[in-house]
Amino acid sequence: MENRQQIAAGNWKMNKTFEEGIALVKEIIEKSNNERTLVILAVPFTHLNGIADLVAPIPNIKLAAQNCHEKESGAFTGEISANMLLSVGADYVILGHSERREHFKESNEVLAKKVEHAISKGLIPIFCCGESLRIRKAKIHVDFVSNQLNEGLFHLNPEAFSKVIIAYEPIWAIGTGETATPEQAQNMHKEIRALIEKKYGHDLAQNIPILYGGSVKPDSAKDLFHQPDVDGGLVGGASLNADDFVAILNSF
Ligand code: PGA
């Protein structure tokens, strides 16, 4: 993994009440003593402010939101802006998760706007990409992910792009218990890095963290994280349990 930052990100999705969330973060803080890994907790919007106070004294634990709007403010009932997220302690935002793409019909076009807006405000996007089982079986997964990157990310200028974290999350591995093999993950991460290199050059390609997501568990994390182009994980289910999540972040 070159000299890139190791990252363990937890995506809580729509889980945990506020009290449960506070208890989970306290347990993670208590049980983890790994200061080399950047830990990013993508918690529900409603929890950010309260959890920000808890993690403030811990330099390597940061907060993310799971979505944000592409406009600065205005008549968008129910939406949350990048500025709002920054004001309650989020430094990162997941954009383009496959569940947002599928259930909320987020297109590459809208994601391109969200990414650009988030970066312009100083919020770091964790941009998700990844193919369905149908696409993988048809052996067009590299083209599919390449298109997601072209349309959703590669409009950024190099300076803006240098802020981005990418998460490769094959849809067939999310929440299914079926993890991509370390080789499958490495192959796709290598392809993604090659696409970045083609667009932005070698140095930038070497600096962008690419996380793997999809049923990362304590017993699969180590082999995945030891692949040369896998810089960490975006962890769903296993991030809801402190022991599992701490075991994963100790897997580097
Ligand atoms: P999972 O979710 O670890 O439960 O498969 C990963 C994700 O959706 O980010």
Side-chain angles (χ1 to χ4, degrees):
M1 155 157 75
E2 308 286 322
N3 291 322
R4 290 179 293 275
Q5 173 75 61
Q6 308 170 342
I7 301 173
N11 175 11
W12 291 11
K13 311 192 180 185
M14 195 175 74
N15 292 296
K16 304 283 178 191
T17 64
F18 181 69
E19 285 74 19
E20 289 166 350
I22 292 283
L24 175 56
V25 173
K26 282 186 177 160
E27 207 183 332
I28 290 170
I29 292 172
E30 198 185 291
K31 293 183 169 167
S32 65
N33 58 1
N34 172 348
E35 282 157 22
R36 280 166 301 121
T37 303
L38 171 61
V39 176
I40 303 174
L41 302 175
V43 306
F45 294 136
T46 46
H47 302 15
L48 284 166
N49 201 30
I51 293 178
D53 290 340
L54 279 182
V55 301
I58 301 158
N60 66 316
I61 304 189
K62 302 288 182 196
L63 295 184
Q66 300 170 14
N67 179 32
C68 77
H69 198 263
E70 68 273 21
K71 293 268 168 56
E72 173 138 15
S73 62
F76 301 103
T77 301
E79 289 294 319
I80 306 273
S81 74
N83 275 340
M84 292 173 192
L85 296 176
L86 288 160
S87 75
V88 288
D91 291 312
Y92 298 81
V93 60
I94 296 177
L95 290 173
H97 191 280
S98 60
E99 288 150 18
R100 300 283 326 163
R101 292 175 186 266
E102 185 186 342
H103 304 308
F104 303 95
K105 305 291 173 245
E106 292 191 4
S107 61
N108 290 332
E109 196 185 352
V110 78
L111 291 170
K113 291 182 188 156
K114 288 187 177 204
V115 166
E116 193 161 0
H117 178 70
I119 294 174
S120 77
K121 293 295 163 189
L123 202 53
I124 300 174
I126 302 173
F127 182 86
C128 300
C129 55
E131 80 288 351
S132 66
L133 191 56
R134 184 183 63 78
I135 301 269
R136 176 152 289 253
K137 282 192 168 155
K139 298 194 168 44
I140 50 172
H141 45 289
V142 175
D143 286 346
F144 182 85
V145 168
S146 164
N147 186 55
Q148 288 180 321
L149 297 175
N150 273 322
E151 294 187 2
L153 266 192
F154 285 179
H155 61 305
L156 295 173
N157 65 40
E159 206 212 317
F161 186 80
S162 70
K163 313 274 192 266
V164 171
I165 297 171
I166 293 174
Y168 168 60
E169 299 205 303
I171 298 170
W172 46 272
I174 296 178
T176 57
E178 189 186 338
T179 320
T181 64
E183 294 71 32
Q184 284 172 321
Q186 168 57 24
N187 287 342
M188 186 56 107
H189 284 223
K190 199 172 157 201
E191 295 282 358
I192 292 171
R193 211 175 292 290
L195 292 166
I196 300 171
E197 177 160 340
K198 209 165 142 207
K199 169 80 188 169
Y200 294 102
H202 177 80
D203 291 356
L204 204 41
Q206 287 306 313
N207 284 334
I208 297 289
I210 307 177
L211 313 183
Y212 167 79
S215 297
V216 176
K217 303 285 182 244
D219 51 6
S220 58
K222 201 169 186 163
D223 285 346
L224 286 163
F225 295 175
H226 280 84
Q227 300 303 310
D229 287 293
V230 177
D231 304 311
L234 178 55
V235 184
S239 74
L240 298 173
N241 175 285
D243 290 320
D244 286 349
F245 189 62
V246 169
I248 288 169
L249 72 90
N250 284 332
S251 301
F252 288 96

